[in-house]
Amino acid sequence: MKITTIIIKTPDGYHLAGTEFLPEQANGIGVIINGATGVLRRYYQDYAEFLCQQGFTVLSYDFRGIGESQPVHSDAPAPSMLHWGQRDMNAVLTDFIQRHPQLTVKGIGHSVGGQLLGVLPDNNRYCGFLNIASQHIYWKHWPMKDRPLTVAFFFGVLPLFYTLTGGLPKWVLGAEYLPRQVARDWSRFGRRKAYIADPEGRPLREGFQEYTGKMRFYGMADDRRFAPPTTVYQLEKLFSNADSHVRILKPGDYRMKSIDHFGFFKKSMNRQAWQESAEWLLE
């Protein structure tokens, strides 16, 4: 395969860093990996290479304010989660289609990368979308026994840090530093029943309802902190007109001790799960 670094320019002044994986023999399908909150694109490298070896043309990238995706001038707006979905995902998908017009394009969303499909303009440009540990993060969707930690995070930890430090430091979750508005959006999406909403609190649902492509949701049976299965089912409900279904992956079914929220993309993941996802993307 050929692996190249690319830069995707957004209309509002950001250069998004991406890594593209080009197969020797293409199967006619392009796959864009939309990452989780604060997770660098290199985290998905092993999985992207696996897909590329199956013939997929694959692109991973960093959202604005994360990793190498930064503003090119001082007038660029501060990064937010809404901008990730409405602007970054749009710029990346538009650029990919322009450069690979011969490919059928499908998407993968990890955590927030799947949620934000609902605010991506013209999201039916993806003919299929695989959500991995993507969830509806309203705190009441967590099982009762896990709610205290969730409430502490959305109502306490996030507001405390974005108020006092201007963002969320890397050491809190072990991910990349989150800019202030990104952390603020994450907090308000989790605190309110409206979930993904505009700055005035109005729910943004049109894009969720407009998507009519095929969708698969992978929930992890042992993911308690970030995306328990209850929250995965709740997100699927928002895509009310999609051809969708949920699968809950149990570690024991793949001879794994744990998968959790991040394990699917690790090199240690059982290749059976990766192969099953590749077969779905080929459908």
Side-chain angles (χ1 to χ4, degrees):
M1 73 185 74
K2 181 180 179 182
I3 303 175
T4 58
T5 299
I6 66 171
I7 296 296
I8 302 157
K9 298 178 181 179
T10 71
D12 61 344
Y14 279 84
H15 282 179
L16 307 180
T19 302
E20 193 160 69
F21 304 79
L22 303 174
E24 288 187 8
Q25 187 170 354
N27 63 12
I29 298 175
V31 176
I32 299 174
I33 300 175
N34 304 276
T37 303
V39 177
L40 297 173
R41 70 187 191 278
R42 66 169 177 260
Y43 188 80
Y44 305 99
Q45 176 106 2
D46 291 321
Y47 181 68
E49 290 184 7
F50 172 84
L51 291 181
C52 190
Q53 290 164 358
Q54 314 303 308
F56 295 93
T57 300
V58 185
L59 174 66
S60 61
Y61 67 98
D62 296 332
F63 284 121
R64 65 179 62 197
I66 303 298
E68 298 175 284
S69 294
Q70 299 298 330
V72 292
H73 55 72
S74 59
D75 294 334
S80 74
M81 270 192 171
L82 282 180
H83 290 167
W84 286 359
Q86 295 169 334
R87 303 181 186 186
D88 294 356
M89 288 178 68
N90 186 49
V92 169
L93 179 56
T94 299
D95 178 82
F96 190 84
I97 291 172
Q98 289 175 346
R99 291 186 297 104
H100 302 289
Q102 78 283 8
L103 297 179
T104 298
V105 185
K106 300 188 178 183
I108 292 175
H110 181 205
S111 198
V112 75
Q115 300 170 40
L116 294 175
L117 177 68
V119 296
L120 167 67
D122 191 13
N123 54 17
N124 280 294
R125 290 175 290 172
Y126 280 119
C127 73
F129 207 89
L130 174 61
N131 283 297
I132 298 176
S134 293
Q135 73 282 55
H136 188 313
I137 65 170
Y138 178 47
W139 68 273
K140 287 189 177 181
H141 292 324
W142 263 255
M144 189 69 69
K145 66 181 183 302
D146 298 320
R147 287 184 188 175
L149 187 60
T150 303
V151 169
F153 182 70
F154 287 126
F155 287 82
V157 174
L158 284 174
L160 176 67
F161 278 104
Y162 72 65
T163 300
L164 296 182
T165 71
L168 189 69
K170 296 174 65 172
W171 61 265
V172 177
L173 294 176
E176 291 297 291
Y177 171 83
L178 297 184
R180 175 185 174 87
Q181 191 57 51
V182 170
R184 188 173 184 178
D185 280 353
W186 196 8
S187 176
R188 69 187 183 89
F189 293 166
R191 294 196 313 264
R192 302 175 183 175
K193 190 175 182 179
Y195 178 41
I196 295 181
D198 66 19
E200 284 71 45
R202 294 183 292 261
L204 299 174
R205 294 290 182 269
E206 184 176 346
F208 289 95
Q209 296 163 0
E210 286 181 348
Y211 188 71
T212 57
K214 288 184 176 293
M215 299 188 79
R216 172 175 280 187
F217 291 78
Y218 281 165
M220 310 307 161
D222 61 334
D223 186 351
R224 293 181 56 190
R225 291 180 301 165
F226 292 106
T230 52
T231 66
V232 176
Y233 282 108
Q234 290 294 332
L235 180 63
E236 188 218 13
K237 289 180 181 179
L238 290 185
F239 290 97
S240 54
N241 294 307
D243 180 5
S244 66
H245 68 281
V246 176
R247 282 192 60 190
I248 304 302
L249 305 190
K250 299 177 181 179
D253 292 343
Y254 295 93
R255 300 184 299 279
M256 303 284 294
K257 291 183 178 180
S258 174
I259 301 176
D260 207 354
H261 193 62
F262 296 100
F264 185 89
F265 296 101
K266 291 181 178 179
K267 200 170 188 176
S268 58
M269 186 65 195
N270 189 313
R271 291 299 184 271
Q272 178 188 341
W274 286 9
Q275 186 61 45
E276 289 170 356
S277 69
E279 290 171 358
W280 186 85
L281 290 166
L282 274 171
E283 290 179 1

